[in-house]
Amino acid sequence: MTTLIVGGGPAGAAAAITLARGGHACRLIERTSGEHDVVCGGFLGWDALALLDRLGIDAASLGARPITRVRLIAGARRVEAALPHTAAGLSRRRLDAALLAAAEHNGVEVLRGTTVRSADPERRVVRLHDESELTCDALLLATGKHELRGVARPLADRRDSLAVGLRTALPPESARDAALADTIELHLFDQGYAGLLLQEDGTTNLCLSVSQRRLAEAGGPLPLLAELAGALPALAERLGRDLPAQVTAIAGVPYGWSADTTTAGLFRLGDQGAVIASLAGDGIAMALAGGIGGAEALLAEGPAGAQRWQGGFARRTGRQRALAEVFRHGVERPISRAALMALLRLAPRLIAPAALLTRTR
Ligand SMILES: Cc1cc2nc3c(=O)[nH]c(=O)nc-3n(C[C@H](O)[C@H](O)[C@H](O)COP(=O)(O)OP(=O)(O)OC[C@H]3O[C@@H](n4cnc5c(N)ncnc54)[C@H](O)[C@@H]3O)c2cc1C
């Protein structure tokens, strides 16, 4: 049986490691040619840490910074609480490199710097950037936030509700570093949020998620940051005197979406299978769980197992994604955000169970 994995993020790499450990040869195709940044908050929940451990990766030894607290800030209101378990901050640059190195170490053939142009799931063929074709019996689609021609997610009816992710890194700065030591900080605003955490290299990862409408109204990522810094003093304090000169963006993020069906032989993993609101900080765990689970289904049932597994994965993650959507919609609107912050100030202990309910099991 020939298996191709397209995409070497957490989902694709987790699938590759699981298949290789199960004695099944596979080939993974990743378009980037070396270590690279990803638009992501870099928050690893305790579920993600446990899944990484299962894959033989110790996040602490990669330099991940322990996170034990969460701070929510909305205008002048702020609330802080302990997380129920220790989480971590780790750059995707470091995480993805470690996952792909582990895949290679387990015997996976990893093709880097190779972009897949399109896929035909019926013929089980993928076409590469040089127009050459590869055939397979099972195709594991793990291109994450990026669509692949022939197997793109059907998102046309969601066009108005898609979000945009933005990311930049801020240099070490003593006051900011002290404020973020062991804490993830979320700044909530209309139609989006900004998250900050310290990474292993001493930089702060600044990640924003915002509606396409709000971004367009602001006139783009840098004007949006300037607008937010003007309106939100606590965020302005974290950004410091100089606003970032460059921000990376990814558009078309379909929070809450899942693939409930698929074609025989096509396993849709990670964000190509189910997307949880980034505010919950659990997309990486869901991608790892999907990668492992999809690979285990392939090992047990062969390519024919794709449809049963895909439907089951969508169902198992359904409640978690729905709760994250409720939370996201709640904090993106001014009235419900104010009510939620008032409630959490009275009872900050509610944050821990909410964090538990949006974890991958
Ligand atoms: C703004 C924002 C912040 C987030 N913050 C967090 C967070 O703090 N914690 C968390 O757990 N989750 C977070 N998430 C979610 C998380 O980033 C995703 O759920 C996770 O990255 C999904 O992993 P994946 O492997 O499916 O895809 P990805 O991480 O997107 O990886 C896909 C890989 O496929 C490769 N690829 C794409 N197309 C091709 C192609 N045609 N040919 C070959 N290779 C290809 C890419 O180069 C990439 O390496 C955030 C999401 C957003 C939008």
Side-chain angles (χ1 to χ4, degrees):
M1 178 170 68
T2 317
T3 299
L4 278 181
I5 303 172
V6 184
I17 295 168
T18 308
L19 287 173
R21 283 177 164 182
H24 180 76
C26 60
R27 185 185 265 184
L28 183 150
I29 307 174
E30 165 57 40
R31 64 181 188 163
T32 59
S33 48
E35 289 196 7
H36 62 287
D37 291 313
V38 177
V39 177
C40 183
F43 177 81
L44 293 173
W46 45 94
D47 49 350
L49 294 172
L51 288 161
L52 286 171
D53 197 49
R54 246 176 95 181
L55 293 167
I57 291 170
D58 173 26
S61 70
L62 298 175
R65 303 241 181 179
I67 296 179
T68 56
R69 303 188 67 74
V70 57
R71 185 180 300 130
L72 300 176
I73 303 178
R77 291 171 195 260
R78 69 173 64 199
V79 56
E80 195 168 324
L83 290 169
H85 302 286
T86 301
L90 183 68
S91 73
R92 286 293 302 273
R93 170 178 283 271
R94 181 67 62 88
L95 176 66
D96 289 23
L99 279 162
L100 282 180
E104 279 190 303
H105 179 74
N106 279 279
V108 175
E109 185 190 353
V110 177
L111 296 182
R112 293 213 69 162
T114 305
T115 301
V116 174
R117 273 271 152 76
S118 63
D120 181 340
E122 304 297 337
R123 289 173 54 229
R124 301 196 192 163
V125 167
V126 303
R127 176 167 288 133
L128 304 185
H129 58 106
D130 61 2
E131 297 300 321
S132 61
E133 288 190 344
L134 295 173
T135 53
C136 59
D137 300 301
L139 175 61
L140 276 55
L141 181 69
T143 54
K145 307 167 183 84
H146 309 271
E147 305 304 345
L148 183 60
R149 199 160 7 114
V151 283
R153 295 171 292 185
L155 303 176
D157 58 340
R158 290 179 164 247
R159 203 162 285 145
D160 294 336
S161 63
L162 298 174
V164 181
L166 305 171
R167 181 205 167 264
T168 191
L170 306 174
E173 195 272 315
S174 54
R176 177 168 59 223
D177 298 352
L180 294 177
D182 73 17
T183 300
I184 177 163
E185 192 169 275
L186 301 174
H187 296 254
L188 312 175
F189 54 83
D190 289 357
Q191 298 177 50
Y193 77 94
L196 296 117
L197 56 70
L198 277 172
Q199 307 184 120
E200 74 286 350
D201 61 359
T203 62
T204 289
N205 193 69
L206 167 65
C207 200
L208 292 92
S209 171
V210 64
S211 73
Q212 296 194 146
R213 184 152 57 92
R214 172 110 201 229
L215 184 66
E217 282 166 6
L222 293 176
L224 175 74
L225 264 187
E227 183 187 307
L228 292 172
L232 307 172
L235 181 60
E237 190 185 328
R238 294 289 180 260
L239 291 173
R241 263 181 304 138
D242 302 318
L243 287 180
Q246 247 192 334
V247 174
T248 315
I250 180 89
V253 183
Y255 292 136
W257 179 84
S258 69
D260 303 328
T261 58
T262 183
T263 333
L266 175 67
F267 292 77
R268 306 190 70 107
L269 309 178
D271 282 1
Q272 285 292 318
V275 185
I276 185 166
S278 58
L279 189 64
D282 212 50
I284 297 171
M286 204 174 268
L288 294 169
I292 295 170
E296 286 174 344
L298 178 59
L299 287 171
E301 301 171 43
Q307 281 142 315
R308 191 197 59 76
W309 176 79
Q310 198 78 54
F313 190 70
R315 275 194 303 281
R316 279 194 297 285
T317 57
R319 191 182 67 155
Q320 184 191 352
R321 284 181 285 111
L323 278 168
E325 281 301 277
V326 170
F327 185 48
R328 177 171 77 90
H329 287 297
V331 299
E332 284 189 350
R333 296 181 181 127
I335 296 174
S336 47
R337 181 168 65 245
L340 188 76
M341 289 299 284
L343 174 70
L344 292 178
R345 279 182 73 168
L346 284 173
R349 283 182 184 185
L350 289 176
I351 291 179
L356 282 170
L357 284 170
T358 50
R359 295 299 107 191
T360 297
R361 270 169 274 264

